[in-house]
């Protein structure tokens, strides 16, 4: 069961697209969210003189979707200044520190960096600019437990801040409560369900090995399909492709596009056991 929480977002310069300082109820941490262009002004803030972990986000070189870099700094400021000069892709940054200086040390943020990179690689939702997987530092049992709690707060906040790179398909009772839907066609069959994160296609589902000409001309779906193949989410098995893990798509149509290898309407392509489409199920729920 998810625990409700509240966030306090302070717009420090009065510009909603400028520096935002985000704090979570009953947590020692805080986040600074700001566009790259503001780093020359933001770098003077005391939070960036602390030890912390940070995310850099921006468009991929091909312009289709975002990519991510995860880093740590002791303190953060010199690392961001280096990336400002040397990394081209990023357009916004999120830095995590604590409300009181000195509550995180170098080993703590190295642990957080390692865990975040591992989670992003497992979720396979955004390509990473990090070349390697850093090893976890040696932490005491108590420190490790504390950092797992700190990480949990971060992961709870990030989707609210528009970052979904670490989210994997939900499991457990909440996921099982959703009706399982099926998408069939072109000799393949896939199953999935709706969640608050998006539409989940389940492990073992099939996808078409070939795509239609119209699909091939659509940059977004084509790039997503290429990413899924590159990351091993889709693997060839005989004449079809197979999902090697549960995978969250942004919408039912994005999921059925990949499954059927064409331009589809997911609300019509996904059907329940009784034959009703997702559209019909949603209309029935709305009428209740």
């Amino acid at each position: 069961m998810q625990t409700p929480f509240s966030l306090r977002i302070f717009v420090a310069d009065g510009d909603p697209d400028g520096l935002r300082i985000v704090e979570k109820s009953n947590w020692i941490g805080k986040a600074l969210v700001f566009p790259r262009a503001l780093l020359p002004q933001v770098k003077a803030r005391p939070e960036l003189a602390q030890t912390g972990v940070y995310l850099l986000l921006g468009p991929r070189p091909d312009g289709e979707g975002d990519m991510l870099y995860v880093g740590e700094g002791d303190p953060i400021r010199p690392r961001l200044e280096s990336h400002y000069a040397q990394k081209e892709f990023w357009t916004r940054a999120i830095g995590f520190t604590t409300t009181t200086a000195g509550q995180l040390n170098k080993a703590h943020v190295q642990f957080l960096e390692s865990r975040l990179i591992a989670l992003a690689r497992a979720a396979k939702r955004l390509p990473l600019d990090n070349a390697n997987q850093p090893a976890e530092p040696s932490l005491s049992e108590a420190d490790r437990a504390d950092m797992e709690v700190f990480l949990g707060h971060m992961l709870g906040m990030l989707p609210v801040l528009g970052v979904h790179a670490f989210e994997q398909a939900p499991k457990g009772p909440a996921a099982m409560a959703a009706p399982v839907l099926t998408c069939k066609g072109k000799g393949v069959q896939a199953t999935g369900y709706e969640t608050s994160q998006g539409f989940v296609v389940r492990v073992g589902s099939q996808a078409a090995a070939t795509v239609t000409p119209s699909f091939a001309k659509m940059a977004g779906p084509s790039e997503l399909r290429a990413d899924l193949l590159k990351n091993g989410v889709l693997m060839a098995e005989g004449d079809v492709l197979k999902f090697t893990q549960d995978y969250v798509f942004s919408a039912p149509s994005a999921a059925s596009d990949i499954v059927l290898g064409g331009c589809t309407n997911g609300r019509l392509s996904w059907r329940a056991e009784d034959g009703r489409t997702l559209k019909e199920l949603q209309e029935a729920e709305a009428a209740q």
Side-chain angles (χ1 to χ4, degrees):
M1 179 180 176
Q2 298 290 340
T3 303
F5 63 89
S6 61
L7 296 181
R8 180 178 182 269
I9 302 178
F10 175 55
V11 182
D13 54 10
D15 179 0
D17 296 317
L19 172 63
R20 288 162 287 161
I21 301 169
V22 188
E23 297 182 73
K24 188 173 184 285
S25 55
N26 301 312
W27 185 43
I28 64 169
K30 67 164 63 173
L32 274 69
V33 185
F34 57 92
R36 177 184 184 137
L38 283 188
L39 182 62
Q41 292 80 45
V42 172
K43 68 181 184 180
R45 290 198 61 95
E47 292 91 347
L48 297 187
Q50 295 183 39
T51 304
V53 64
Y54 59 88
L55 312 177
L56 304 178
L57 297 113
R60 307 183 199 184
D62 58 20
E64 295 298 331
D66 281 347
M67 61 189 297
L68 168 71
Y69 179 84
V70 181
E72 53 83 15
D74 182 22
I76 293 177
R77 174 178 168 171
R79 299 294 299 143
L80 291 178
E81 289 176 321
S82 172
H83 298 322
Y84 186 77
Q86 298 176 12
K87 283 191 179 296
E88 296 287 342
F89 83 93
W90 66 282
T91 57
R92 58 189 172 117
I94 303 175
F96 286 93
T97 61
T98 54
T99 53
T100 303
Q103 293 178 289
L104 293 175
N105 61 36
K106 180 69 171 178
H108 290 155
V109 295
Q110 286 178 331
F111 175 84
L112 293 171
E113 177 195 45
S114 177
R115 291 282 285 115
L116 285 168
I117 292 173
L119 287 169
R121 288 208 163 109
K124 300 176 182 176
R125 299 190 70 167
L126 285 185
L128 278 170
D129 191 53
N130 298 79
N132 302 309
Q133 171 64 54
E136 290 185 11
S138 178
L139 292 179
S140 70
E141 185 178 359
D143 276 357
R144 185 183 181 91
D146 286 345
M147 287 305 99
E148 287 289 355
V149 171
F150 195 95
L151 177 65
H153 284 289
M154 290 173 57
L155 294 174
M157 290 174 63
L158 283 168
V160 184
L161 302 178
V163 179
H164 300 275
F166 308 99
E167 294 181 339
Q168 297 188 48
K171 303 183 186 301
M176 298 307 295
V180 175
L181 307 174
T182 302
C183 179
K184 299 178 182 178
K186 297 182 68 173
V188 299
Q189 178 171 315
T191 58
Y193 53 89
E194 283 197 295
T195 74
S196 59
Q197 295 178 12
F199 194 92
V200 177
V201 175
R202 299 202 301 181
V203 61
S205 294
Q206 297 173 326
T210 59
V211 300
T212 63
S214 59
F215 180 96
K217 293 177 182 178
M218 297 177 64
S222 295
E223 289 290 341
L224 175 57
R225 185 176 188 272
D227 284 345
L228 295 177
L229 287 165
K230 179 181 177 181
N231 294 334
V233 176
L234 286 175
M235 296 283 287
E237 186 175 276
D239 296 331
V240 301
L241 304 176
K242 181 168 280 191
F243 281 81
T244 62
Q245 65 179 68
D246 289 356
Y247 191 82
V248 185
F249 289 89
S250 59
S253 294
S256 55
D257 284 354
I258 297 299
V259 169
L260 298 177
C263 303
T264 65
N265 182 336
R267 297 183 69 208
L268 302 178
S269 299
W270 293 98
R271 293 178 176 270
E273 284 187 5
D274 60 9
R276 287 186 296 169
T277 65
L278 176 57
K279 179 176 185 285
E280 291 170 330
L281 292 174
Q282 292 172 338
E283 289 173 344
E285 289 174 357
Q288 290 180 359

